[in-house]
Amino acid sequence: MKFSDLGLNENTLKAVADVGYTEPTPIQEKAIPEILKRNDVMGIAQTGTGKTAAFTLPMIDILANGRAKALMPRTLILSPTRELATQIAECFQKYGKYQKLSMALLIGGESMVEQQKILSRGVDVLIATPGRMLDLCERGRILLRDVRVFVLDEADRMLDMGFLPDIRRICSHLPNKRQSLLFSATLSPEIEHLARAIVNNPLKITISPDKPTVEKIDQKAAMLESTNKYNFLLELLNSKADTKDFLALVFCRTKHGASKLAKRLNKDGIKADAIHGDKTQSARQKALDKFKNRAITALVATDIAARGIDVKNMNLVVNYDLPDEPETYVHRIGRTARAEADGEAVSICTRDNVKDFYAVEKFIRQNIPLYKDTQYHSESVFEDVQKMRALRAKADAKRQPQPKRVKDKDFSAESLYGERRPTVFLEREQPKN
Ligand code: AMP
């Protein structure tokens, strides 16, 4: 399938060609024609699947005709974090470069006056985080009754961050007659419930990789005593010093831990900065820009701040602290190996978090190979992990095989995912003419 088969207009196709994409990803293939038909879509797709372009490209086409009135945006995209909102804005700029689109970003940490000035001129695309959006909406500074397309991105993360009440209130300001698109990396009963209030008979597109982890990532785990964590990280980063354009994203559990680690790395000669929720928006953006421009080699981040970071050719993700939720592991390592690139992910497992490590392996349904090139390897932590693995293998052997789901269609063509292309499930409750 080619982009030109999807029904996009010439300007958009030209912009896609300029970016260098040769074929649509599975979610783009399914979502773009559906959105252009003005139907609702619910996309269950992990990070790195190309879902941002799956909704921005057709929206640009839809916006080609018509003009926005003052304070009345024509489309609204809600995003959980400022960084992700900024990246969506960048996509609109990139893909909409041959079309005159007015756009505003409504995110916390930026000057409200400036944002309102842009809104008062009328915008085609409004990208917002829920808090700031609701604030302006409830004060009557922005009117949503002209919104033709509403997008809720990263819905699962929105719920994790406690935005559900805000989203519900924002939706109450939207017109009933609208097109709605909802994207989420995971599908839970809570998301299903939320979706019922937002989308109307959507085409549900589920991109379900055989394994819930990105195939091209070289995953490894280092078994360490906790006192050796820092030294190991330093050894690991130094060992990559000669790699061309090397960039590492290091995940920490706490904001304080992230700042402390970045400082310590700088002292030891590794250029680093931290990105987390206690930093101002401009400090976060500055750190991200330095990383993108390779002025620093390590960016130390907490999960929420790192959500949606899309840096080309980032080579390494380090789980300095393992995540609380095993799903988060997939989001984290998905920061590397974006689209066509390869990547490496190294996770640190200490005696205190063998259980977390076990939860990750269970979730991704594979054993993560051992990182051997280190003097800090702890055989005793490794033995604890082996014991856990043996218990899991026993439990797996006992479990009854699950009945297989009927697949709507298997993709066989070569794709970003190589030979093992993810399975795409398509569902709709009521038939569409
Ligand atoms: P996303 O899942 O939207 O975060 O996108 C992940 C990455 O895939 C981004 O770096 C995009 O620039 C890239 N991408 C999106 N669509 C395509 C495509 N059709 N071909 C190659 N790369 C793509």
Side-chain angles (χ1 to χ4, degrees), residues 233-248 268-271 297-298 315-316 344 371:
L233 178 68
L234 201 58
E235 179 192 67
L236 174 67
L237 296 179
N238 279 327
S239 74
K240 308 276 182 190
D242 294 336
T243 309
K244 194 171 172 281
D245 290 337
F246 174 70
L247 286 182
D268 284 316
I270 307 267
K271 287 190 185 138
T297 42
N315 336 57
L316 175 70
E344 188 182 357
Y371 187 92

Side-chain angles (χ1 to χ4, degrees), residues 79-212:
S79 149
T81 67
R82 301 176 250 190
E83 283 73 17
L84 192 55
T86 311
Q87 272 172 205
I88 296 171
E90 283 166 9
C91 283
F92 271 105
Q93 263 157 357
K94 213 165 39 176
Y95 307 135
K97 68 179 192 184
Y98 295 112
Q99 195 168 305
K100 261 201 170 152
L101 278 183
S102 50
M103 184 169 63
L105 254 178
L106 214 54
I107 51 180
E110 299 270 313
S111 145
M112 193 94 121
V113 179
E114 198 48 44
Q115 292 176 342
Q116 280 190 324
K117 227 191 256 165
I118 301 173
L119 281 168
S120 65
R121 284 186 226 126
V123 291
D124 297 312
V125 182
L126 176 60
I127 306 163
T129 47
R132 180 59 67 96
M133 175 74 223
L134 190 61
D135 188 18
L136 285 183
C137 206
E138 308 240 293
R139 289 198 281 138
R141 300 283 168 88
I142 181 164
L143 304 166
L144 299 182
R145 57 174 185 264
D146 243 12
V147 168
R148 295 285 174 265
V149 187
F150 169 58
V151 182
L152 186 67
D153 196 19
E154 307 260 354
D156 49 352
R157 184 56 44 156
M158 293 267 198
L159 297 196
D160 288 352
M161 292 170 75
F163 283 137
L164 185 60
D166 288 6
I167 293 169
R168 287 200 190 281
R169 275 163 67 188
I170 292 169
C171 286
S172 73
H173 292 269
L174 289 168
N176 289 333
K177 197 170 169 294
R178 61 167 198 259
Q179 183 179 17
S180 300
L181 317 171
L182 184 147
F183 293 88
S184 181
T186 52
L187 187 60
S188 62
E190 292 77 26
I191 298 287
E192 295 261 22
H193 192 251
L194 175 67
R196 272 199 287 280
I198 292 180
V199 282
N200 174 24
N201 191 25
L203 177 70
K204 193 160 136 196
I205 307 169
T206 308
I207 305 293
S208 128
D210 285 344
K211 286 178 194 159

Side-chain angles (χ1 to χ4, degrees), residues 238-274:
N238 279 327
S239 74
K240 308 276 182 190
D242 294 336
T243 309
K244 194 171 172 281
D245 290 337
F246 174 70
L247 286 182
L249 181 60
V250 181
F251 281 97
C252 275
R253 212 182 272 242
T254 66
K255 300 168 197 171
H256 176 66
S259 283
K260 219 168 88 182
L261 186 58
K263 262 192 204 137
R264 210 167 159 195
L265 286 172
N266 274 309
K267 265 195 200 141
D268 284 316
I270 307 267
K271 287 190 185 138
D273 206 338

Side-chain angles (χ1 to χ4, degrees), residues 12-42:
T12 312
L13 288 175
K14 215 157 75 172
V16 167
D18 288 354
V19 180
Y21 301 159
T22 49
E23 61 170 319
T25 65
I27 189 148
Q28 291 164 2
E29 219 172 282
K30 291 292 156 199
I32 291 173
E34 197 65 18
I35 298 171
L36 288 174
K37 277 191 238 156
R38 309 306 310 271
N39 292 330
D40 285 8
V41 164
M42 182 166 165

